[in-house]
Every structure is written in structure tokens, then in C-alpha cells.
């Protein structure tokens, strides 16, 4: 099945929260997102990779307008969730390659990664699905990223 | 916009590769996926979280039948990509909550996380999009995960 790229989407008004060093045991993902959701905060990207030493990082992005509220919750309203450090970054941009049939994404993802590498743009986060390859990069790199990806995918 | 959950998808024939301690500098994501893609290996989930100390983990899943080939490439065919350790795990299962309008995912993700937590199922990896919340868990937890998620979402 040949992937069809339909567009490059971008978002530059988000804040990324990383709970660094969350214990990788049942209940912590729920313990973090529960209070955030209860406060009516919409969450966009959620990324968590595997733990290598019993601890992992739990990262999510939200709109800038909810950032203060979210920070307060994470710093004082979590129940039974331990983490080492909270990292907040609003100098991020989200760029997504949107398409269909990206089931075997290696080809499309490879082109995207290569394009950014050639433009010396660092990829901070990656999260993929059959219809979307989502990349979080530095806000300052956004224009160049979107422009070069459009060119790379003939859009 | 109210999210509509259309189903719980599962996959139990994948192998997860984690390159632990990849330098978080431009070119490494491309350096890893390029050779994998060139070998005709289809990649399913790709997850990379932020680096906290200049290094990060790059994880992807592929079908079990490609695992031997992928391992060989990662151990000897990468060019200019340094990493500390390669972690291979085929005792994993992928369970996804599929729907539409999960733009504000906190509600749906919260229910999913809570359901697994209540069943003492550890969530190893998380990757989300508007149409899919993808969770990687232990293979042995798959049946219970799928059953309890069906119940939680009234499917
Ligand atoms: C880190 C967090 O996701 C944990 N593994 C959990 O299942 O809740
Ligand atoms: C780790 C890897 O993703 C790196 N940041 C890159 O841009 O290629």
C-alpha cells in the first residue's frame, strides 16, 4: 500500500510538560492524567517511552492558555505519583506529516527525519500512527521545518 | 466535541527495539530509520521522548518476522549513530483505543490509564493521536487489557 501524504500540519502555541523519572509501575499514568483531565485541560500529544532503570519520562503537550493551571496541578495536586523533576518548555513547535496508508512508515518517516537532519533541525519527540507522524521540535526551527517538509513531499 | 470510541485494536506479534542513550543531535533519527527502511522493514510505532541529559531513547516496533534482520542492522549497519545499549523485547503487546474526536484526549486517555491501573497492568509505552491512543504492555497482560478496556468503553 503506497502512502499518500496529504499535508504538513503545524502548531506553535503549545507547552510541553515532562515528568522526568516517574516510577514505571501501574497507576502513575492514570495518576498524572486524571487530575489534568478533571481540571478540564485538553491534552494533545502524550508520549512515554520504555523505562530502562525502573523509571521513565511521561510527556504531554497542552495549549499555552492552560499551562499555568497544569503546572500548579503537577506541582501540588498529584496523588501518589512520584517523579524526580518537572520540565516545562513552551519554546516548542509541533509539526506533523499527515497522510493515509502510512502503515509501513519507515519510508515516510525516513524522508521526514532525513529532511530535518539535512536542515540541522533537532527532533525532540516522535510519536507516530498510520495517519500521522508527529514531531516536536524547537519553535525557532518551525518555519524551516514546515518549508523543507513541504518540499520533500512535493506539497 | 465528544469523542466516539469505535473499538479496541490489538497486536501481539511485534518486537520492540529500544536504542537506549542515543545522542540527541540532528541526524540520529534518520541514521537509525534509514537503514531499517532501506532493508524493506515495515515500522509500526515509533516513540521518542525528550532528552534530559543530552541523550534519549529511540524505540520502534516491527513485526516479529523482521526482528532478526532488524537486530543485525542495528548492531552493525548504522553509520555515525552512537547509542549505549540495544534493548530487544518480543514479549510485548500493542493495544489501541481507536476513535474519532479524541482531540482533547485527557478524558479518553484517563479512562484507559485508570482501567489498566485498576487491573494492575503496567503501561510500558504511550503514543497518542486524535484517532488512536496506543499503549504497549506486556504480552501476558493483553487478554485482560483488551477485556477490561472493552468493558470500560461499553464496547
Ligand atoms: C509510567 C506509567 O505509565 C506507568 N508505567 C503506569 O502504568 O501507569
Ligand atoms: C534522537 C534523534 O531523534 C535526534 N534528536 C535527531 O534529530 O535525529
Amino acid at each position: 500500500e503506497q502512502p499518500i501524504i496529504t499535508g504538513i500540519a503545524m502548531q506553535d502555541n503549545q507547552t510541553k510538560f515532562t515528568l522526568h523519572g516517574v516510577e514505571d509501575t501501574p497507576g502513575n499514568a492514570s495518576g498524572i492524567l486524571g487530575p489534568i483531565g478533571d481540571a478540564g485541560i485538553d491534552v494533545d500529544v502524550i508520549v512515554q517511552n520504555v523505562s530502562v532503570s525502573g523509571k521513565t519520562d511521561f510527556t504531554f503537550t497542552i495549549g499555552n492558555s492552560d499551562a499555568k493551571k497544569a503546572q500548579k496541578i503537577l506541582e501540588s495536586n498529584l496523588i501518589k505519583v512520584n517523579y524526580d523533576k518537572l520540565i516545562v518548555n513552551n519554546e516548542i513547535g509541533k509539526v506533523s506529516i499527515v497522510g493515509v496508508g502510512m502503515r509501513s512508515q519507515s519510508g515516510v518517516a525516513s524522508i521526514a527525519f532525513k529532511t530535518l537532519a539535512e536542515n540541522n533541525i533537532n527532533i525532540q519527540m516522535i510519536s507516530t500512527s498510520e495517519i500521522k507522524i508527529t514531531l516536536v521540535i524547537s519553535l525557532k526551527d518551525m518555519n524551516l521545518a514546515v518549508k523543507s517538509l513541504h518540499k520533500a513531499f512535493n506539497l
Side-chain angles (χ1 to χ4, degrees), chain A:
Chain A
E1 179 182 15
Q2 276 292 34
I4 302 166
I5 308 307
T6 51
I8 306 296
M10 56 157 287
Q11 216 160 339
D12 57 8
N13 59 350
Q14 293 189 339
T15 300
K16 164 165 64 82
F17 288 88
T18 297
L19 285 80
H20 173 61
V22 176
E23 229 184 84
D24 190 17
T25 49
N28 284 320
S30 174
I32 294 164
L33 215 63
I36 292 290
D38 291 345
I41 296 172
D42 288 349
V43 170
D44 186 21
V45 183
I46 302 172
V47 167
Q48 174 194 304
N49 210 337
V50 297
S51 66
V52 178
S53 49
K55 284 185 176 181
T56 187
D57 296 343
F58 184 97
T59 298
F60 60 91
T61 65
I62 61 174
N64 286 334
S65 54
D66 285 327
K68 267 205 171 66
K69 187 159 61 160
Q71 184 153 357
K72 192 160 176 300
I73 290 169
L74 296 173
E75 285 172 338
S76 39
N77 289 34
L78 297 187
I79 301 168
K80 301 202 252 166
V81 178
N82 294 317
Y83 60 89
D84 296 337
K85 192 164 55 164
L86 178 65
I87 302 162
V88 187
N89 187 349
N90 60 10
E91 292 298 311
I92 52 144
K94 187 181 80 163
V95 61
S96 307
I97 296 99
V98 188
V100 287
M102 300 202 293
R103 175 71 189 73
S104 66
Q105 297 157 24
S106 352
V108 181
S110 281
I111 293 169
F113 295 169
K114 192 157 196 290
T115 303
L116 296 189
E118 286 169 346
N119 286 280
N120 208 31
I121 295 172
N122 194 49
I123 302 166
Q124 298 181 17
M125 281 167 68
I126 300 168
S127 172
T128 63
S129 74
E130 289 93 323
I131 62 156
K132 204 190 248 201
I133 293 172
T134 296
L135 308 172
V136 171
I137 60 176
S138 193
L139 203 53
K140 62 172 175 60
D141 290 332
M142 279 296 276
N143 286 335
L144 180 56
V146 174
K147 190 151 146 262
S148 57
L149 286 168
H150 269 119
K151 191 155 177 279
F153 289 106
N154 296 314
L155 293 166

